[in-house]
Amino acid sequence: MKILVVEDEKKTAAFLSKGLREAKFRVQIARDGEAALTAARPGEFDLLIVDIMLPEKDGWTLVRELRETGVGTPVIFLTARDSVRDRVKGLELGADDYVVKPFAFSELLARVRSLLRRTPAKSDEIRIQDLEIDTRHHRATRQGVALNLTPKEFLLLTHLARAGGEVVSRKEIAENVWDIGFNTDTNVVDVVVRRLRAKVDDPFKKKLVHTIRGVGYALKPS
Ligand code: CA
């Protein structure tokens, strides 16, 4: 389960991130609304935790814009303001829950778990030309033929696919697919990309996995 924390205060962001990681969630932090808009692609996160008081674009504006672009990921707002008006405004904008600052982490965690239980699993299917990825059932096919991928290969494929054709660096792959920071000199990433390519591209005429020399990889039509 992957959570995006949108919070500009470093201390609060670090506190949330540490607690959520200890509870076995994968966590990404965005420091402002623009970064959050870029990060929160449809299906990328299971949950967004959004502070209302953000520089430039506040949490309300951010969630409204996300909803307008079709991102339906559930949202928990963090707010210092506990007035009925603020709550109503947030709920109208499509927030799913509220936590009022200051809060005990255990309270937030309870809300997170309860919200995730109520929300059906992500059901997004990603399609790139004849490649179809069903992230809910962990299945990928090309021209209707099932690709027999290992869990790591599948995760890598999904991660590349969600970048929308943009280049993903080796470091980013290491952090997101293995959830740890690899020394970028290691060729672990390259090895798994090679295995993925053998299954996704080699049997087919059109190549989708592209190497961007010195940068990383991109999954896109050629
Ligand atoms: Ca803030």
Side-chain angles (χ1 to χ4, degrees):
M1 288 283 188
K2 203 171 166 194
I3 298 177
L4 178 68
V5 173
V6 190
E7 169 63 276
D8 58 311
E9 292 154 56
K10 283 195 173 148
K11 252 175 129 173
T12 310
F15 161 74
L16 286 174
S17 163
K18 183 170 177 281
L20 290 168
R21 280 178 211 269
E22 279 169 10
K24 302 294 175 219
F25 291 102
R26 296 167 69 204
V27 183
Q28 192 173 323
I29 294 171
R31 300 261 179 231
D32 57 59
E34 285 304 326
L37 267 184
T38 311
R41 293 195 172 93
E44 178 73 20
F45 294 95
D46 298 283
L47 177 72
L48 312 177
I49 298 177
V50 178
D51 185 33
I52 287 176
M53 300 298 279
L54 294 167
E56 287 153 42
K57 199 189 292 288
D58 67 26
W60 286 317
T61 310
L62 166 66
V63 171
R64 197 182 60 233
E65 290 181 9
L66 284 171
R67 295 299 187 240
E68 281 167 6
T69 55
V71 177
T73 315
V75 173
I76 294 179
F77 269 134
L78 300 180
T79 176
R81 306 184 238 180
D82 190 20
S83 78
V84 172
R85 205 183 116 255
D86 284 351
R87 282 177 183 243
V88 169
K89 184 172 176 184
L91 294 171
E92 281 171 351
L93 284 173
D96 301 278
D97 208 345
Y98 261 95
V99 176
V100 178
K101 285 177 168 182
F103 54 86
F105 184 75
S106 56
E107 186 203 342
L108 175 74
L109 188 60
R111 302 282 188 93
V112 165
R113 290 194 164 131
S114 140
L115 189 52
L116 289 173
R117 266 197 305 274
R118 306 205 297 263
T119 312
K122 289 184 293 192
S123 64
D124 52 326
E125 298 211 354
I126 307 171
R127 177 191 278 267
I128 298 166
Q129 278 193 349
D130 54 8
L131 170 69
E132 285 181 39
I133 307 169
D134 176 347
T135 60
R136 191 199 291 204
H137 300 102
H138 278 236
R139 276 197 298 257
T141 58
R142 264 199 92 170
Q143 297 174 8
V145 180
L147 307 171
N148 188 18
L149 305 178
T150 66
K152 276 284 176 257
E153 289 160 3
F154 185 83
L155 212 56
L156 171 63
L157 180 70
T158 309
H159 189 70
L160 290 173
R162 285 190 174 140
E166 285 178 29
V167 186
V168 185
S169 72
R170 285 182 180 77
K171 186 166 174 284
E172 206 186 318
I173 292 171
E175 285 172 359
N176 283 280
V177 176
W178 281 269
D179 216 7
I180 49 166
F182 271 116
N183 178 338
T184 46
D185 290 339
T186 74
N187 65 351
V188 178
V189 172
D190 304 87
V191 170
V192 178
V193 170
R194 206 175 307 142
R195 290 208 317 250
L196 181 67
R197 197 173 246 155
K199 295 177 182 177
V200 171
D201 273 352
D202 288 0
F204 305 94
K205 195 161 168 249
K206 286 185 182 152
K207 307 306 175 196
L208 297 176
V209 181
H210 302 273
T211 304
I212 316 301
R213 279 185 79 115
V215 186
Y217 298 97
L219 186 71
K220 57 180 183 182
S222 38

PDB file of all heavy atoms in Angstrom, residues 6-9 12 31 51-55 78 101, ligand 1:
ATOM      1  N   VAL A   6       1.373  14.909   1.594  1.00  0.00           N
ATOM      2  CA  VAL A   6       1.602  16.257   1.056  1.00  0.00           C
ATOM      3  C   VAL A   6       1.668  17.208   2.242  1.00  0.00           C
ATOM      4  O   VAL A   6       0.647  17.525   2.870  1.00  0.00           O
ATOM      5  CB  VAL A   6       0.474  16.673   0.098  1.00  0.00           C
ATOM      6  CG1 VAL A   6       0.860  17.956  -0.630  1.00  0.00           C
ATOM      7  CG2 VAL A   6       0.178  15.567  -0.909  1.00  0.00           C
ATOM      8  N   GLU A   7       2.856  17.624   2.579  1.00  0.00           N
ATOM      9  CA  GLU A   7       3.077  18.434   3.786  1.00  0.00           C
ATOM     10  C   GLU A   7       4.371  19.206   3.629  1.00  0.00           C
ATOM     11  O   GLU A   7       5.403  18.638   3.273  1.00  0.00           O
ATOM     12  CB  GLU A   7       3.133  17.490   5.005  1.00  0.00           C
ATOM     13  CG  GLU A   7       3.614  18.107   6.297  1.00  0.00           C
ATOM     14  CD  GLU A   7       2.705  19.216   6.821  1.00  0.00           C
ATOM     15  OE1 GLU A   7       2.864  20.357   6.365  1.00  0.00           O
ATOM     16  OE2 GLU A   7       1.843  18.912   7.676  1.00  0.00           O
ATOM     17  N   ASP A   8       4.300  20.527   3.847  1.00  0.00           N
ATOM     18  CA  ASP A   8       5.491  21.360   3.675  1.00  0.00           C
ATOM     19  C   ASP A   8       6.358  21.419   4.922  1.00  0.00           C
ATOM     20  O   ASP A   8       7.548  21.699   4.840  1.00  0.00           O
ATOM     21  CB  ASP A   8       5.091  22.781   3.258  1.00  0.00           C
ATOM     22  CG  ASP A   8       4.175  23.418   4.279  1.00  0.00           C
ATOM     23  OD1 ASP A   8       3.193  22.767   4.675  1.00  0.00           O
ATOM     24  OD2 ASP A   8       4.444  24.559   4.691  1.00  0.00           O
ATOM     25  N   GLU A   9       5.761  21.177   6.098  1.00  0.00           N
ATOM     26  CA  GLU A   9       6.575  21.236   7.319  1.00  0.00           C
ATOM     27  C   GLU A   9       7.401  19.961   7.422  1.00  0.00           C
ATOM     28  O   GLU A   9       6.863  18.862   7.533  1.00  0.00           O
ATOM     29  CB  GLU A   9       5.677  21.346   8.555  1.00  0.00           C
ATOM     30  CG  GLU A   9       4.930  22.663   8.654  1.00  0.00           C
ATOM     31  CD  GLU A   9       3.646  22.494   9.447  1.00  0.00           C
ATOM     32  OE1 GLU A   9       3.717  22.040  10.601  1.00  0.00           O
ATOM     33  OE2 GLU A   9       2.570  22.765   8.880  1.00  0.00           O
ATOM     34  N   THR A  12       6.803  17.518  10.501  1.00  0.00           N
ATOM     35  CA  THR A  12       5.556  16.749  10.429  1.00  0.00           C
ATOM     36  C   THR A  12       5.661  15.681   9.340  1.00  0.00           C
ATOM     37  O   THR A  12       5.248  14.535   9.544  1.00  0.00           O
ATOM     38  CB  THR A  12       4.367  17.679  10.124  1.00  0.00           C
ATOM     39  OG1 THR A  12       4.405  18.774  11.035  1.00  0.00           O
ATOM     40  CG2 THR A  12       3.063  16.952  10.263  1.00  0.00           C
ATOM     41  N   ARG A  31       6.259  18.235  -1.080  1.00  0.00           N
ATOM     42  CA  ARG A  31       6.369  19.417  -0.211  1.00  0.00           C
ATOM     43  C   ARG A  31       5.394  20.524  -0.577  1.00  0.00           C
ATOM     44  O   ARG A  31       5.219  21.471   0.158  1.00  0.00           O
ATOM     45  CB  ARG A  31       7.786  19.984  -0.277  1.00  0.00           C
ATOM     46  CG  ARG A  31       8.837  19.024   0.166  1.00  0.00           C
ATOM     47  CD  ARG A  31       9.233  19.296   1.602  1.00  0.00           C
ATOM     48  NE  ARG A  31      10.232  18.340   2.034  1.00  0.00           N
ATOM     49  CZ  ARG A  31      10.149  17.632   3.126  1.00  0.00           C
ATOM     50  NH1 ARG A  31       9.116  17.774   3.941  1.00  0.00           N
ATOM     51  NH2 ARG A  31      11.094  16.777   3.460  1.00  0.00           N
ATOM     52  N   ASP A  51      -2.082  18.042   3.839  1.00  0.00           N
ATOM     53  CA  ASP A  51      -2.186  19.162   4.760  1.00  0.00           C
ATOM     54  C   ASP A  51      -2.916  20.287   4.047  1.00  0.00           C
ATOM     55  O   ASP A  51      -2.689  20.532   2.866  1.00  0.00           O
ATOM     56  CB  ASP A  51      -0.775  19.610   5.165  1.00  0.00           C
ATOM     57  CG  ASP A  51      -0.825  20.689   6.226  1.00  0.00           C
ATOM     58  OD1 ASP A  51      -1.752  20.654   7.066  1.00  0.00           O
ATOM     59  OD2 ASP A  51       0.050  21.569   6.214  1.00  0.00           O
ATOM     60  N   ILE A  52      -3.814  20.966   4.738  1.00  0.00           N
ATOM     61  CA  ILE A  52      -4.549  22.055   4.081  1.00  0.00           C
ATOM     62  C   ILE A  52      -3.669  23.282   3.903  1.00  0.00           C
ATOM     63  O   ILE A  52      -3.691  23.934   2.867  1.00  0.00           O
ATOM     64  CB  ILE A  52      -5.834  22.400   4.881  1.00  0.00           C
ATOM     65  CG1 ILE A  52      -6.851  21.276   4.673  1.00  0.00           C
ATOM     66  CG2 ILE A  52      -6.414  23.742   4.424  1.00  0.00           C
ATOM     67  CD1 ILE A  52      -8.107  21.416   5.456  1.00  0.00           C
ATOM     68  N   MET A  53      -2.851  23.582   4.922  1.00  0.00           N
ATOM     69  CA  MET A  53      -2.019  24.780   4.851  1.00  0.00           C
ATOM     70  C   MET A  53      -0.714  24.471   4.121  1.00  0.00           C
ATOM     71  O   MET A  53       0.258  24.001   4.719  1.00  0.00           O
ATOM     72  CB  MET A  53      -1.710  25.281   6.268  1.00  0.00           C
ATOM     73  CG  MET A  53      -2.959  25.645   7.062  1.00  0.00           C
ATOM     74  SD  MET A  53      -3.896  26.997   6.303  1.00  0.00           S
ATOM     75  CE  MET A  53      -2.925  28.382   6.892  1.00  0.00           C
ATOM     76  N   LEU A  54      -0.727  24.709   2.820  1.00  0.00           N
ATOM     77  CA  LEU A  54       0.461  24.494   1.996  1.00  0.00           C
ATOM     78  C   LEU A  54       0.819  25.812   1.317  1.00  0.00           C
ATOM     79  O   LEU A  54      -0.053  26.638   1.090  1.00  0.00           O
ATOM     80  CB  LEU A  54       0.180  23.440   0.912  1.00  0.00           C
ATOM     81  CG  LEU A  54      -0.101  22.014   1.358  1.00  0.00           C
ATOM     82  CD1 LEU A  54      -0.655  21.203   0.196  1.00  0.00           C
ATOM     83  CD2 LEU A  54       1.152  21.351   1.907  1.00  0.00           C
ATOM     84  N   PRO A  55       2.077  26.009   0.992  1.00  0.00           N
ATOM     85  CA  PRO A  55       2.448  27.252   0.310  1.00  0.00           C
ATOM     86  C   PRO A  55       1.851  27.276  -1.098  1.00  0.00           C
ATOM     87  O   PRO A  55       1.734  26.248  -1.740  1.00  0.00           O
ATOM     88  CB  PRO A  55       3.980  27.183   0.254  1.00  0.00           C
ATOM     89  CG  PRO A  55       4.313  25.739   0.396  1.00  0.00           C
ATOM     90  CD  PRO A  55       3.230  25.121   1.209  1.00  0.00           C
ATOM     91  N   LEU A  78      -5.291  16.932   6.664  1.00  0.00           N
ATOM     92  CA  LEU A  78      -4.759  17.331   7.960  1.00  0.00           C
ATOM     93  C   LEU A  78      -5.102  18.800   8.115  1.00  0.00           C
ATOM     94  O   LEU A  78      -4.809  19.599   7.233  1.00  0.00           O
ATOM     95  CB  LEU A  78      -3.234  17.185   7.998  1.00  0.00           C
ATOM     96  CG  LEU A  78      -2.662  15.792   7.763  1.00  0.00           C
ATOM     97  CD1 LEU A  78      -1.135  15.861   7.850  1.00  0.00           C
ATOM     98  CD2 LEU A  78      -3.205  14.802   8.793  1.00  0.00           C
ATOM     99  N   LYS A 101      -4.974  18.709  13.589  1.00  0.00           N
ATOM    100  CA  LYS A 101      -3.668  18.876  14.230  1.00  0.00           C
ATOM    101  C   LYS A 101      -3.838  19.618  15.556  1.00  0.00           C
ATOM    102  O   LYS A 101      -4.650  20.532  15.620  1.00  0.00           O
ATOM    103  CB  LYS A 101      -2.751  19.715  13.338  1.00  0.00           C
ATOM    104  CG  LYS A 101      -2.186  19.011  12.127  1.00  0.00           C
ATOM    105  CD  LYS A 101      -1.381  20.051  11.346  1.00  0.00           C
ATOM    106  CE  LYS A 101      -0.520  19.394  10.278  1.00  0.00           C
ATOM    107  NZ  LYS A 101       0.280  20.411   9.564  1.00  0.00           N
TER     108      LYS A 101
HETATM  109 CA    CA B   1       1.636  22.888   6.330  1.00  0.00          CA
END
